[in-house]
């Protein structure tokens, strides 16, 4: 018997699936490495996927 396949995850519309980015702080440390921080998408919290929104019938837009 065939197994049902789950639906593909929805890509976050705010970050288009690129949920995390490394941002340089400008400058290098004592060993010569770039100082970076990781910034996450606030909408999907760094997962790159969004939950499906359910709309109620008759709800205001």
């Amino acid at each position: 018997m065939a197994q049902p396949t789950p639906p593909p995850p929805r890509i976050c519309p705010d970050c288009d699936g690129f949920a995390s980015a490394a941002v340089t702080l400008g400058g290098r440390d004592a060993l010569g490495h770039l100082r970076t921080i990781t910034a996450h998408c606030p909408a999907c919290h760094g997962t790159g996927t969004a939950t499906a929104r359910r709309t109620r019938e008759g709800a205001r837009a």
Side-chain angles (χ1 to χ4, degrees), residues 8-56:
R10 290 178 35 124
I11 296 175
C12 176
D14 292 333
C15 64
D16 290 330
F18 295 97
S20 298
V23 181
T24 61
L25 297 175
R28 297 184 180 266
D29 63 4
L31 298 175
H33 300 291
L34 282 174
R35 294 184 300 159
T36 60
I37 59 171
T38 303
H40 298 291
C41 173
C44 65
H45 304 289
T47 61
T49 58
T51 58
R53 292 184 180 170
R54 292 184 180 214
T55 58
R56 295 185 317 180

